[in-house]
Amino acid sequence: MSNPEPSPSLVALAEADRHRPRFHFVSPAGWLNDPNGLTHREGTYHLFYQYNPTSALHSRIHWGHATSSDLVRWVDQPVALIPGDEGPDRDGCWSGALVDDGGTPTIVYSGRHGDREMPCVATGSADLNTWTKDPGNPVIDGYPEGLEVTAYRDHCVWREGGRWRQLVGSGIVGKGGTALLYESTDLRSWDYVGPLVTGDASTGTVEAGDWTGTMWECVDLFRPPPAQDRDAAEDADPVDVLVFSAWDAGVTHYPLYWTGTYSGDAFVPCELHRLDYGGRYFYAPQSFRDSAGRRLVFGWLQEGRTDEAMVAAGWSGVMSLPRVITLGVDGALVQAPAPEVATLRRDGQECAAQTLTAAAVPLGEGDQRDLEVTAVLAPGSAIEVALATTPDAEEVTVLRISRTGVTEGRVELDRSRSSLDPTVDATPRSGPVPISSDGEVELRVLVDHSALEVFVNGRALTARIYPTREDATGASVSAVTGSAELCRATTWAMRDTWAGPRQLYP
Ligand code: DQQ
């Protein structure tokens, strides 16, 4: 079968869109969603992703593939998985994981047929460019006996005690989301062990971000390394993390994680957290451990515009920047862009240390920017960072960081004036952030056309913005309540990830 690729006219359409990011990974054209099969193999990072090369809509999903030596400059590879003409994945090759089976790269993915997704397996060549589907697919051909499931798909696979284990994302009717545990010796014949942990869909609310959904998509179990500043890390009890994306009847909500303890056949949950305050703008994340021992994660930045606008643009969906995740002193995950992202910086501008007032201190111009701001906030005070603003602030995205208590703060994103286009999503986003007792706030903001990633003292907030005016390129910081000291502010322009036109496969 020849390698499917978008038509040149679709590529041209996508490339011409002013909202298309230039230093985030995007598909050559068409639709992109979840990161899949993330791996670091012989010095090369492999990013697979849910991909429809023919249109900017979610349909007949393939596995796209790109490689990188540094996590930021990507090379497109041939599409890895294509839905079959017949068979269990004829309606799509949905999300999954890649493992090394004694030297044989092996993908475990969800083959979609009708409205069911069943576990399938494919083995790959050493360069991960050629994939052969297992003739025995689907390798699991039914839901666990006696279990009434709301949905069933996506895979987290690992080796433990000389056997393979996998979690399949699911939900139990009348109870809540769950991760179903299986075991195998050969990745083909699986024994059902039971639900690893099950949520309670009768508690929490979507507004508060603590409703865990009727189904868990893209479950991901791992043990995060401690953050560098975690003094007692050596003596502390190990903490495990189960990340999942809360889903309900076709609606994607947000990524959450439980901290807890995984042992034997169970995960004993401790605390529930939101992984990203942007909610669905950082959805279906998948993590992996690279050869340096870092835990890295990518997530899918969904669009905030209509289906019609996506089709007109010729593309949809952005991959987040790679994030390093560690476990902080407070028992929650700390997130930061991988240091490699900084290699795209150019033309750094420093801003003098000063006391912030209501007067806006400029933070540079442009629609591909990286900003680092360190400020000290007195209790009860707040600063605002204006992003993608026009000179008259007719269009402006406002990020507010407030110190609400001695060691408590809040980040809020106001998109009500981000765009003059009334059809784009303008709903606010917010969440709590930890603040040290000296009031220090470390802020990192990455603006890449419509993609916005914000990190405040290790907490993440991701969103999409679609300014209409060409001059919506300004940034500034000011104090809006109480007093705040600006200690440091540096801003950079960011280079494009691709130096020239993307090379598509013949
Ligand atoms: N997207 C995939 C599913 C997954 C969902 C289909 C999450 O496998 O559950 O493209 O975005």
Side-chain angles (χ1 to χ4, degrees):
M1 195 182 286
S2 65
N3 191 58
E5 62 176 76
S7 65
S9 60
L10 195 65
V11 174
L13 190 63
E15 282 299 307
D17 182 17
R18 62 169 290 197
H19 296 302
R20 189 160 159 90
R22 301 288 160 185
F23 67 92
H24 283 70
F25 183 85
V26 285
S27 70
W31 169 278
L32 166 152
N33 60 303
D34 317 350
N36 290 152
L38 301 174
T39 192
H40 189 202
R41 194 179 154 87
E42 291 162 12
T44 299
Y45 291 99
H46 292 263
L47 168 64
F48 298 86
Y49 57 93
Q50 295 278 285
Y51 180 34
N52 175 9
T54 57
S55 92
L57 296 173
H58 186 268
S59 173
R60 262 195 116 241
I61 292 295
H62 300 47
W63 273 42
H65 180 201
T67 53
S68 172
S69 59
D70 66 359
L71 288 166
V72 288
R73 294 166 184 83
W74 295 97
V75 178
D76 291 312
Q77 302 294 345
V79 166
L81 295 178
I82 303 170
D85 293 333
E86 49 190 33
D89 64 3
R90 68 186 77 175
D91 295 321
C93 301
W94 282 22
S95 285
L98 189 156
V99 291
D100 188 318
D101 183 14
T104 305
T106 305
I107 285 174
V108 182
Y109 67 103
S110 293
R112 180 168 166 94
H113 177 203
D115 59 2
R116 272 177 26 136
E117 295 88 39
M118 283 294 150
C120 293
V121 163
T123 50
S125 55
D127 62 2
L128 309 190
N129 276 349
T130 310
W131 292 89
T132 308
K133 294 177 189 172
D134 196 288
N137 283 338
V139 294
I140 298 174
D141 199 11
Y143 305 138
E145 229 177 274
L147 208 63
E148 212 188 331
V149 301
T150 51
Y152 177 92
R153 58 176 170 269
D154 310 336
H155 312 267
C156 173
V157 188
W158 71 98
R159 188 106 182 129
E160 184 181 327
R163 289 167 76 85
W164 291 104
R165 292 197 132 192
Q166 77 155 310
L167 295 173
V168 179
S170 189
I172 301 174
V173 171
K175 286 192 178 169
T178 191
L180 303 176
L181 178 62
Y182 290 81
E183 257 193 355
S184 169
T185 52
D186 62 1
L187 293 167
R188 272 109 184 135
S189 168
W190 291 93
D191 297 325
Y192 176 58
V193 179
L196 185 75
V197 57
T198 303
D200 179 357
S202 68
T203 63
T205 63
V206 171
E207 293 68 36
D210 61 355
W211 187 62
T212 54
T214 56
M215 189 257 169
W216 293 353
E217 295 192 303
C218 301
V219 289
D220 189 13
L221 176 69
F222 58 90
R223 180 166 292 176
Q228 272 171 356
D229 62 352
R230 200 161 186 260
D231 296 338
E234 299 286 301
D235 312 321
D237 288 336
V239 173
D240 299 305
V241 164
L242 181 70
V243 175
F244 60 94
S245 290
W247 180 97
D248 178 49
V251 181
T252 62
H253 284 293
Y254 36 60
L256 295 169
Y257 65 96
W258 288 105
T259 54
T261 311
Y262 163 69
S263 64
D265 298 338
F267 179 90
V268 180
C270 177
E271 280 181 8
L272 180 72
H273 296 267
R274 293 156 69 191
L275 184 64
D276 188 299
Y277 300 144
R280 70 178 185 88
Y281 290 115
F282 185 82
Y283 197 76
Q286 186 177 90
S287 75
F288 69 111
R289 193 171 173 273
D290 77 353
S291 60
R294 299 184 298 178
R295 177 62 50 177
L296 293 158
V297 65
F298 285 91
W300 162 41
L301 278 58
Q302 300 185 12
E303 295 293 321
R305 50 185 175 177
T306 62
D307 285 3
E308 294 71 30
M310 295 191 292
V311 170
W315 69 282
S316 171
V318 178
M319 200 57 73
S320 73
L321 294 169
R323 296 181 183 177
V324 177
I325 42 180
T326 51
L327 188 71
V329 259
D330 59 357
L333 292 178
V334 173
Q335 302 179 55
E340 288 90 334
V341 171
T343 64
L344 295 171
R345 289 170 169 170
R346 63 177 172 81
D347 303 336
Q349 288 170 25
E350 298 272 341
C351 186
Q354 57 195 280
T355 299
L356 289 174
T357 65
V361 176
L363 293 176
E365 281 280 325
D367 40 23
Q368 282 176 232
R369 307 288 298 172
D370 187 355
L371 273 58
E372 266 183 14
V373 175
T374 305
V376 170
L377 273 61
S381 65
I383 58 170
E384 274 186 4
V385 179
L387 298 164
T389 179
T390 54
D392 60 2
E394 186 184 27
E395 287 189 329
V396 59
T397 296
V398 181
L399 187 66
R400 171 186 280 244
I401 296 131
S402 44
R403 186 173 176 197
T404 50
V406 177
T407 56
E408 284 136 36
R410 202 158 179 82
V411 55
E412 294 166 286
L413 184 74
D414 177 355
R415 296 183 299 162
S416 59
R417 285 186 289 149
S418 291
S419 177
L420 293 172
D421 178 351
T423 69
V424 302
D425 180 30
T427 53
R429 293 290 189 276
S430 64
V433 294
I435 295 200
S436 57
S437 50
D438 61 4
E440 187 168 284
V441 168
E442 282 191 6
L443 170 67
R444 177 93 178 263
V445 180
L446 295 125
V447 184
D448 188 4
H449 301 263
S450 60
L452 174 63
E453 294 193 60
V454 174
F455 301 85
V456 187
N457 288 353
R459 300 291 187 268
L461 191 161
T462 305
R464 303 293 301 276
I465 51 171
Y466 303 90
T468 62
R469 280 177 49 175
E470 291 293 331
D471 58 352
T473 54
S476 63
V477 60
S478 59
V480 284
T481 325
S483 70
E485 290 298 320
L486 181 67
C487 311
R488 272 182 303 282
T490 316
T491 72
W492 295 265
M494 293 294 272
R495 291 189 180 86
D496 288 11
T497 287
W498 288 274
R502 285 171 72 162
Q503 191 69 45
L504 295 178
Y505 273 78

